[in-house]
Amino acid sequence: MAEAVDQDWIALARDATGGVEAVRAHFRGHAYDPHFHDEVLIGVTEQGVQQFRCRRAVHRSTRGRVILIAPGETHDGVAPEAGGFTYSMLYLDPARLAAAAAECTGRGHCGAIFEFAATLADDADLAAAILSARRAIAAAEMRAVRDATLDRVVERLARHVGLPGPAGGSAPATARRAREAIDALHGEADLGLERLAALAGTDRFRLARAFQRAYGLAPHAYLVNRRLCTARGLLARGLRPAEVAAAAGFADQSHLGRWFRRAYGITPAGYRRICTNVPDRA
């Protein structure tokens, strides 16, 4: 099912048994504000030029190129050329993907840690596997077919996974402590910057600079994105947007809606409807 946003469109389907979301979308001009996901994102640019910032660099993906984004990596999206871009993307649960990768490679379970060697890759086999899996999920193929297409993705993805770095990566300790404090609260508390800086062991100005360098977002923007991740999960379970707004720490439904559309290109009600096939009724 697709939701149109102006001249842009998004088609989203879910494979609940495999913990996978499959997206195909088209955007002209601005697509997404900077945001992150808790899932592993792997996708293919099908048409046009897909430009986005990730890992402190600007990337330009063209037809057939594979996009690899690890959980928590901040990214945005824009179409720099007329005609926009079209892409397909899979959102994969890290724990399930790690278990499948361990089973596929026989290397043992390495936990839910993913670090890709590069954000963009030229891998025709992986691109074909991603597109095949997205089509199978969108068409609601029988489970055996969906499983087989996802297995092919896992097999071809292994060559792009790098060795995980030290816990917390290269981020300064103050930035890591602030991020851990926000994550521990699941974005629910109304946490002020003074309190957050105190928890991190620094002042709010040094924290803002360190956090932005480490994660590509200001602390308050990371807090909003953590709340958006919570909201996305609740909507997928069928909660109404008004209920989700309150549960995830937003002022009201319209506040949630503004942030949600800027991050994901779709309204909360539209996302809930696509995930559950249940319309939102006030």
Side-chain angles (χ1 to χ4, degrees), residues 6-262:
D6 300 325
Q7 292 182 326
D8 305 332
W9 53 264
I10 298 176
L12 186 152
R14 285 176 60 86
D15 176 6
T17 58
V20 180
E21 281 189 10
V23 173
R24 188 168 185 257
H26 176 82
F27 289 99
R28 292 197 248 186
H30 177 79
Y32 304 110
D33 281 1
H35 66 286
F36 61 84
H37 295 265
D38 289 334
E39 297 86 4
V40 177
L41 274 59
I42 56 172
V44 181
T45 302
E46 298 185 32
Q47 167 268 322
V49 179
Q50 184 173 0
Q51 181 173 300
F52 61 99
R53 181 176 291 276
C54 186
R55 296 190 188 183
R56 306 180 190 175
V58 175
H59 306 275
R60 290 168 68 92
S61 181
T62 52
R63 182 178 178 182
R65 302 203 78 189
V66 173
I67 300 169
L68 303 165
I69 299 177
E73 288 187 337
T74 301
H75 57 285
D76 56 13
V78 65
E81 298 184 0
F85 65 87
T86 306
Y87 73 100
S88 286
M89 185 76 71
L90 300 177
Y91 295 62
L92 303 162
D93 178 81
R96 294 190 185 190
L97 180 57
E103 185 177 358
C104 172
T105 62
R107 297 176 185 170
H109 201 300
C110 61
I113 299 173
F114 287 88
E115 289 194 4
F116 293 113
T119 302
L120 290 178
D122 295 302
D123 186 332
D125 290 340
L126 178 56
I130 293 168
L131 294 173
S132 178
R134 191 211 64 82
R135 287 193 295 267
I137 294 170
E141 295 279 7
M142 67 178 70
R143 182 171 180 178
V145 173
R146 301 196 308 269
D147 289 348
T149 61
L150 290 170
D151 286 349
R152 285 196 289 273
V153 170
V154 173
E155 291 171 355
R156 288 156 177 77
L157 189 62
R159 72 189 75 172
H160 297 282
V161 178
L163 294 174
S170 59
T174 53
R176 291 202 306 272
R177 286 195 291 267
R179 180 172 177 169
E180 289 166 359
I182 294 172
D183 288 346
L185 294 170
H186 303 287
E188 295 169 6
D190 189 13
L191 189 63
L193 293 181
E194 289 286 358
R195 175 58 177 159
L196 186 62
L199 291 172
T202 186
D203 63 70
R204 58 192 293 178
F205 301 102
R206 288 186 176 86
L207 174 61
R209 290 192 291 269
F211 204 98
Q212 180 73 46
R213 286 195 300 270
Y215 303 119
L217 291 171
H220 74 276
Y222 182 86
L223 173 60
V224 170
N225 272 266
R226 175 51 58 208
R227 290 176 174 175
L228 285 173
C229 287
T230 298
R232 191 177 175 109
L234 294 175
L235 290 165
R237 286 164 44 190
L239 273 70
R240 293 179 176 177
E243 298 172 301
V244 170
F250 290 91
D252 53 31
Q253 183 174 342
S254 63
H255 187 213
L256 167 64
R258 289 194 300 274
W259 282 103
F260 201 92
R261 180 166 167 170
R262 287 167 58 181

